[in-house]
Amino acid sequence: MDQPTSSPAPSISRRHDLDWVRVCAFGLLVLYHVGMYYVTWDWHVNSPFASHALEPAMMLTAPWRLSLLFLVSGAATAFLLARAQRQAQAGGGRVRFLGARSWRLLVPLLFGMAVVVVPQSYYEVVEKLPGGYHDGFLAFWGRYLRGDQGFCGPEGCLILPTWNHLWFVAYLWVYTVALWLLWRFARPLLERAAPALERRLSGWGLLLWPALALGLARLLLIGRFGSTHALVDDWYNHAQYFGVFLLGFLVARRDGIWNAAVRLRWAALALWLATWAAQAAYMSAYADSDPPQALRLAMRMVWGLDQWAAIVAVLGFARHWAPGDSWALRYLVPAVFPVYILHQTVIVVAAHNLQPLGLAPALEGPLLVVLTFAACFGAYEFIRRVPPLRPLFGLPYRERAAADATAQAGAACSTTSCTAAPPR
């Protein structure tokens, strides 16, 4: 096993690789949600042409893309908290962190629940409510805001209001609060955990131990706690997502672990593709029947290995390629959060209204992708120019103020990523 190289902070001053990882991961999320329209899995609306055909391709990213985002968010939180601590030390005041993060996350979440996601629930009711829904969007919106629980079908009642895809923002805020409490009241424990992790994860242990933990979490919890995204009963997701969020926070400034990801990137890529192929074959073989229980349990461990191997491969290749700063990155980093907030509503609305054309999925799918990116980036161009709208989509009130803050900090920090590494 390689000997760990212990260093409390990375030697570089910016982490553009993590910004690019975040941007690309959210881009994959758009593609994934377009794909959800064409598979047999339950979603808000479903194509008349939905089938199993696209499901193996969906499994390329399904196990790991959100875990990757939570891990990068944890690393960003470490950088942001360190910067807040330095500012407090320089000014002689207390550390101001949680209030700013809460404003950045909760305002878009509440606005998104009240306004942005409403069309998703509306078209879900229109398509899936027995007999349909014919009172129009404005009437539905009023019932939505009142918390009307009367939209019921064979599978139960629609819970309103809802956060739909914005559950990620809610969970990120909850995990940030939990981490802040740990930092305030158990900081020595966190400070001891970081170097201990570096010793364990600076060689092949980087592939072994987190994969084992994720596999065991799935093995022990997924049969008892389904993935609900409802916060209060979502224990399997909390185990995996808060686990990687905390891991990202602890290893953010540990070069030994990041360098191990670079060394293991090819092995991780091979493991990811092998486990993906195994899961695709498994899903195909048992698409319409139940697998043997022993095989089902074994595949839960395979899922954990797939999940972590993909993350190591992505992080390792990103750090190896070391993409630098560019005008594209400076544009995309602040655009990611508004685009994320809007994208699923755009997909649902566009997909429903394209149905009368009867387009084949091979034509309609790429069209949906283009329409979604065009509409979301077009909306971003408008939002970023209107100061009252900016906080509703996770942006500072004034663009110039955001640029000045970035310059003063010597780095660009965003909602789930930060390119600044604190000085030694």
Side-chain angles (χ1 to χ4, degrees), residues 42-383:
D42 184 48
W43 204 50
H44 306 287
V45 294
N46 294 103
S47 169
F49 302 100
S51 71
H52 296 299
L54 193 61
E55 290 169 6
M58 298 281 282
M59 287 300 297
L60 273 170
T61 64
W64 56 267
R65 72 185 187 285
L66 288 167
S67 299
L68 174 66
L69 284 170
F70 277 113
L71 187 144
V72 173
S73 299
T77 303
F79 297 139
L80 290 166
L81 186 53
R83 189 182 71 178
Q85 190 176 12
R86 292 198 310 276
Q87 291 172 342
Q89 291 170 348
R94 61 188 181 88
V95 176
R96 299 183 180 274
F97 170 77
L98 190 57
R101 294 300 286 160
S102 296
W103 175 265
R104 188 77 178 273
L105 295 172
L106 292 182
V107 170
L109 175 63
L110 295 175
F111 174 74
M113 290 177 65
V115 178
V116 177
V117 305
V118 180
Q120 299 177 37
S121 297
Y122 171 69
Y123 283 113
E124 184 173 355
V125 167
V126 168
E127 291 200 6
K128 296 185 176 182
L129 192 70
Y133 179 77
H134 308 286
D135 291 344
F137 176 73
L138 292 179
F140 173 82
W141 197 356
R143 295 178 64 178
Y144 173 97
L145 293 175
R146 292 195 298 272
D148 192 326
Q149 308 301 311
F151 297 103
C152 301
E155 298 182 357
C157 298
L158 193 62
I159 298 175
L160 301 176
T162 182
W163 48 45
N164 283 356
H165 70 292
L166 299 182
W167 69 267
F168 176 85
V169 182
Y171 280 40
L172 182 58
W173 179 76
V174 170
Y175 296 166
T176 301
V177 172
L179 188 56
W180 168 250
L181 293 175
L182 283 173
W183 187 83
R184 285 292 305 273
F185 300 109
R187 196 180 314 175
L189 179 63
L190 294 179
E191 291 173 348
R192 290 194 300 270
L197 279 171
E198 187 172 30
R199 289 192 296 271
R200 299 291 186 275
L201 304 182
S202 292
W204 285 97
L206 179 61
L207 274 178
L208 173 62
W209 299 118
L212 181 61
L214 289 168
L216 287 174
R218 188 168 183 85
L219 181 67
L220 297 174
L221 296 176
I222 193 62
R224 300 173 58 193
F225 304 101
S227 180
T228 68
H229 299 154
L231 187 62
V232 295
D233 60 353
D234 207 14
W235 295 110
Y236 166 62
N237 279 334
H238 290 319
Q240 59 173 334
Y241 294 147
F242 183 67
V244 295
F245 179 81
L246 181 59
L247 179 64
F249 177 84
L250 292 173
V251 307
R253 304 169 64 190
R254 294 285 154 181
D255 273 344
I257 294 175
W258 296 101
N259 293 338
V262 174
R263 294 193 303 272
L264 296 173
R265 65 190 186 279
W266 287 107
L269 178 62
L271 276 174
W272 167 32
L273 295 178
T275 50
W276 164 75
Q279 291 192 97
Y282 169 75
M283 291 179 60
S284 176
Y286 296 99
D288 300 309
S289 61
D290 292 331
Q293 182 66 6
L295 179 60
R296 186 199 302 271
L297 297 179
M299 292 308 296
R300 290 177 183 173
M301 296 299 294
V302 172
W303 179 286
L305 182 56
D306 178 319
Q307 186 176 14
W308 185 248
I311 290 173
V312 173
V314 169
L315 296 177
F317 278 103
R319 186 171 174 91
H320 174 71
W321 289 331
D325 197 8
S326 67
W327 67 266
L329 185 62
R330 290 191 295 272
Y331 177 79
L332 290 171
V333 162
V336 162
F337 198 30
V339 169
Y340 163 72
I341 291 171
L342 293 168
H343 82 279
Q344 186 162 290
T345 294
V346 174
I347 294 169
V348 169
V349 172
H352 176 85
N353 287 282
L354 284 174
Q355 284 183 11
L357 299 180
L359 300 175
L363 174 62
E364 186 184 57
L367 178 60
L368 274 176
V369 171
V370 172
L371 286 175
T372 300
F373 279 117
C376 290
F377 278 100
Y380 168 67
E381 285 298 319
F382 177 74
I383 291 164

Side-chain angles (χ1 to χ4, degrees), residues 334 380 383-387 390 395-409 411:
Y380 168 67
I383 291 164
R384 74 188 186 102
R385 289 169 168 81
V386 182
R390 291 174 59 87
L395 301 173
Y397 185 79
R398 294 192 184 279
E399 191 167 15
R400 187 64 199 170
D404 291 343
T406 293
Q408 292 170 6

